[in-house]
Amino acid sequence: MTTLTIKGKLLFWNGLILILTLVALESVMYFSTKKILYEAVYNKLRQELKELSQIIEPYQGVLTSPDHTEWKEAEHVEFGEHAIYLQIFAGNGEIIKVSRNLEELDIRFSFHIPEQKEILFHIEKTAKGDFLSGNFPVYDRGRLAGVITAAYALTDLQTYLASMRWQFYLLSPICILLALAGIWVISKFSLRPLTHITSTAKEIMESGDLTQSLPAARADREVTELVETLNQLFSRLNKSMTQISNFAADASHELRTPLTIARGHLEVALSRPRSTGDYQQTLKVIREEILKMTNIINNLLLTARFDSENFNLDMQILHLDTLLEEYLPTAKSLCEDKQIRLCSQIDHGVQIVGNREMIVHLLNNLVENAVKYNHIDGAVTIRATQSERGVLLEVEDTGIGVEPEELPRIFDRFYRVDKTRVRQFGGSGLGLSIVKWIVEKHSAQIEVESRPGKGSLFRIVFQKIEYEENTF
Ligand code: ADP
C-alpha cells in the first residue's frame, strides 16, 4: 500500500472534514428553515379556521354560509403569499361555498372528515400545485353539520426551499474546491523548504562530510527549528566521529609503545643464547610491559563504558570516613615502594551521596598519581573534611607538580604533561579523565592547586546532602 504524502493527507482529511461539516450545517439550516416556514403556515391556517368557526353556525343540522365581510377580505379574493383559500362542505361532502380566489383558480379540495373534533392537516395535490389544507369539523347536536377547509398554496414556499437546496448543491462543491485549492497551495509552499532540507541532508550523508551544515532557510519556525536541530545533530555526530577516530589512534599508539619495548627485549634475548639471569631479566621487562598494557586496556574499557549513554551509577549515602579507613592500607602499599609517607586527616561522620566502586576508583587514580609523580621520601596526604562548601576530599603530594599552563589540559584523555619524561612513570594519560567523569557523575567539582617542584593538591568538592524533612 502506498503511503500518503503530508500534502495528500492534508487534502484528504481537510476535504473529508469540510464535506461532513458542510452537509451537517446545510442540513440543519435547510430543515430548520423548512420547519419555521411550515409552522407559520400552520399557525395562519389555525387562526383562520378559528375565526371561521365563530362566524359559520350550523342551522338545523346544516352549515349556513352567511354573506359575512370575512369572505370579502383581500386574502380570500387575491392570490399570492398572503392568500388563503376557503371551502365549506356540508356534512355529506357537498360543497356549500368557496372563496373568490379558489373560485377563480377553478379547483376544489377533497372532502376529509377529521376523526376528532380537531383540525386535520394534509397536503392537497391539485392541478394548480400543492396546498396545505386544514379541515375543521362542525357538529350540531352530535351530528356532523359540515367541514370548513382553509388552505394555503405551497408553491412559493416549495420554490424557495428548492432554490435553497440548489444553492447548497452548487455552492458546496465550489466552497470545497476553493478550500482544497487553498490547502494545496499553502501546503506546497510550506513543505517546499522540507524538500530542500531532505536533498541537502542527502548530499551531506552521501559526501560523508559532517562539517557541512544545512543553510538557515527563511521559513516557518518549525522548519527553522528542524534545520537547527539537524545541524546540531550533524555537529554532534562529527564530534563523536572525531572523538572515536582520535580515541582509536591514541589507544593504538599507547598500546604500541609497551608492545614495541617487549618485542625489542624478546628479539635481543633470542638473537643469541643467553644466561638464565638474562632470560629472567627479559621476562621481567615483558611482564612489566604486559602489566602496563593491562592497565591501559582496563582504563580504555572503563572509558568506553562511560561513553555509552545508558551508563548509570547506583548512588547511595556513603560514610566517607569508614570508606577511607578501609582504603588506607591500599594507599599505604602504593606508597611503600617509594618510601613515601602517608598522612591522613579524616573528619568523623563525613557523608556523601555516591557510588562506592567509583569513589574507590577515583581515590586510587589520585593516590597512584600522587605516588607516581612524587620524589623518593616524599609525602602523600589524604583528607576528608566537612566545610561550608560541602564535603572536601583532598589528595596532596610533595611531587614534581604541574606547570600552570598545563593544568587546564591534564584532564583531557591521553594527555600527559611531558610525554618523554612521563614515560618513565608509566600511565596512559586516562587516569584524570576518568576522575573528571566520576566527579561530574557525582555532581561534584574538582580543583587543582599545583606548584612545579613543590607538589600538587587535587580537591573534590561534594555537595552537601539535603535531608528531606521527616526522614528522621
Ligand atoms: P597518567 O596515566 O599519565 O598518570 P593521568 O590522566 O592520570 O595520566 O594524568 C595526566 C597527566 O597529568 C600526567 O601524565 C601527569 O603529567 C599529570 N599529573 C597527574 N597527576 C599529577 C600529580 N599528582 N603530580 C604531577 N603531575 C600530575
Side-chain angles (χ1 to χ4, degrees):
M1 203 182 96
T2 49
T3 33
L4 271 178
T5 57
I6 296 182
K7 217 189 293 173
K9 274 184 193 157
L10 276 174
L11 285 177
F12 176 77
W13 286 109
N14 275 301
L16 191 72
I17 291 168
L18 206 69
I19 290 171
L20 292 177
T21 317
L22 269 178
V23 168
L25 211 75
E26 287 169 356
S27 306
V28 169
M29 273 171 74
Y30 176 78
F31 287 109
S32 53
T33 311
K34 188 177 174 183
K35 191 166 179 265
I36 291 168
L37 291 176
Y38 270 86
E39 208 53 56
V41 177
Y42 281 118
N43 286 339
K44 207 169 179 171
L45 293 179
R46 270 192 209 103
Q47 180 65 31
E48 197 60 44
L49 286 167
K50 197 176 159 201
E51 284 172 16
L52 281 170
S53 65
Q54 281 162 5
I55 56 171
I56 298 175
E57 294 281 324
Y59 179 72
Q60 291 185 348
V62 180
L63 281 189
T64 54
S65 59
D67 205 10
H68 199 273
T69 48
E70 173 73 28
W71 295 93
K72 295 188 182 83
E73 276 178 12
E75 58 183 4
H76 305 308
V77 176
E78 291 165 5
F79 305 97
E81 61 179 306
H82 298 294
I84 291 190
Y85 303 88
L86 301 176
Q87 184 170 317
I88 314 288
F89 292 96
N92 57 4
E94 189 188 318
I95 297 168
I96 304 171
K97 188 170 175 74
V98 293
S99 60
R100 270 273 298 286
N101 47 12
L102 190 61
E103 185 76 61
E104 276 179 44
L105 272 185
D106 196 24
I107 51 165
R108 295 292 179 268
F109 301 127
S110 47
F111 179 57
H112 291 277
I113 308 166
E115 279 181 14
Q116 272 117 29
K117 292 181 181 175
E118 279 172 17
I119 301 169
L120 169 76
F121 287 103
H122 79 109
I123 302 285
E124 188 83 33
K125 293 194 178 296
T126 72
K128 299 278 164 57
D130 293 349
F131 288 79
L132 178 66
S133 77
N135 302 279
F136 183 70
V138 181
Y139 289 89
D140 183 27
R141 279 164 285 165
R143 273 190 60 239
L144 182 71
V147 173
I148 309 167
T149 299
Y152 182 84
L154 292 174
T155 331
D156 288 350
L157 201 144
Q158 282 170 337
T159 317
Y160 175 75
L161 288 174
S163 83
M164 198 174 168
R165 275 199 309 272
W166 275 106
Q167 278 168 20
F168 287 155
Y169 293 153
L170 289 172
L171 281 177
S172 303
I174 294 172
C175 286
I176 292 166
L177 282 178
L178 278 176
L180 290 184
I183 293 164
W184 189 79
V185 172
I186 292 169
S187 57
K188 190 177 156 70
F189 283 101
S190 314
L191 295 174
R192 191 180 276 170
L194 281 186
T195 327
H196 183 61
I197 290 168
T198 314
S199 62
T200 323
K202 254 187 202 160
E203 277 168 26
I204 294 176
M205 201 177 69
E206 277 159 15
S207 71
D209 179 9
L210 290 169
T211 53
Q212 286 187 57
S213 54
L214 298 168
R218 267 187 58 233
D220 301 326
R221 207 178 42 171
E222 291 89 340
V223 179
T224 323
E225 276 176 15
L226 177 71
V227 170
E228 280 169 13
T229 313
L230 280 176
N231 280 339
Q232 280 167 10
L233 179 75
F234 287 148
S235 106
R236 236 178 114 170
L237 270 176
N238 187 37
K239 215 172 136 196
S240 302
M241 300 285 274
T242 321
Q243 259 178 9
I244 290 169
S245 62
N246 286 349
F247 187 79
D250 288 336
S252 36
H253 177 78
E254 289 304 321
L255 286 169
R256 210 172 47 197
T257 316
L259 267 176
T260 315
I261 296 170
R263 204 177 127 199
H265 278 81
L266 264 177
E267 272 166 10
V268 170
L270 291 172
S271 60
R272 61 182 171 81
R274 305 225 171 233
S275 65
T276 319
D278 284 346
Y279 285 129
Q280 272 183 346
Q281 187 55 35
T282 307
L283 285 175
K284 267 187 194 165
V285 174
I286 293 171
R287 187 186 61 187
E288 208 46 46
E289 294 309 312
I290 287 176
L291 280 176
K292 278 184 200 165
M293 283 193 285
T294 314
N295 187 30
I296 294 171
I297 288 169
N298 282 342
N299 278 339
L300 283 174
L301 282 176
L302 200 63
T303 318
R305 254 174 82 199
F306 291 165
D307 282 349
S308 74
E309 289 288 318
N310 43 14
F311 185 86
N312 281 322
L313 293 180
D314 180 19
M315 299 288 193
Q316 61 194 73
I317 292 183
L318 296 178
H319 298 273
L320 203 55
D321 48 349
T322 330
L323 189 149
L324 282 172
E325 295 297 348
E326 285 167 13
Y327 175 72
L328 283 179
T330 314
K332 204 157 186 267
S333 72
L334 284 171
C335 292
E336 266 163 8
D337 293 350
K338 270 181 138 178
Q339 291 103 50
I340 287 171
R341 259 179 308 119
L342 178 70
C343 313
S344 60
Q345 181 199 331
I346 301 165
D347 284 359
H348 178 69
V350 274
Q351 290 181 341
I352 58 165
V353 174
N355 178 284
R356 188 187 168 83
E357 190 198 340
M358 288 297 134
I359 295 295
V360 172
H361 207 89
L362 173 148
L363 268 169
N364 226 18
N365 279 356
L366 291 179
V367 173
E368 263 177 13
N369 280 353
V371 172
K372 215 167 21 175
Y373 302 110
N374 215 326
H375 306 292
I376 304 242
D377 287 333
V380 169
T381 311
I382 300 175
R383 288 187 208 93
T385 48
Q386 190 78 53
S387 85
E388 269 302 299
R389 298 169 67 195
V391 172
L392 307 182
L393 175 62
E394 293 174 340
V395 176
E396 190 173 7
D397 64 65
T398 54
I400 58 171
V402 186
E403 294 291 336
E405 63 272 17
E406 301 282 356
L407 279 178
R409 303 197 58 195
I410 57 172
F411 292 99
D412 292 351
R413 274 181 190 174
F414 297 109
Y415 186 77
R416 292 194 192 108
V417 171
D418 178 346
K419 288 192 197 277
T420 43
R421 195 171 61 125
V422 164
R423 169 73 46 215
Q424 77 193 66
F425 299 112
S428 58
L430 286 171
L432 284 185
S433 70
I434 292 172
V435 166
K436 190 179 161 212
W437 186 91
I438 296 173
V439 167
E440 279 169 6
K441 277 282 168 184
H442 284 76
S443 310
Q445 285 164 5
I446 186 157
E447 298 166 358
V448 195
E449 289 169 17
S450 188
R451 282 190 298 157
K454 299 275 184 207
S456 312
L457 167 69
F458 287 81
R459 179 185 301 118
I460 295 146
V461 187
F462 291 96
Q463 285 173 5
K464 284 183 189 162
I465 302 179
E466 301 285 340
Y467 292 105
E468 280 179 23
E469 274 177 43
N470 307 330
T471 308
F472 299 105

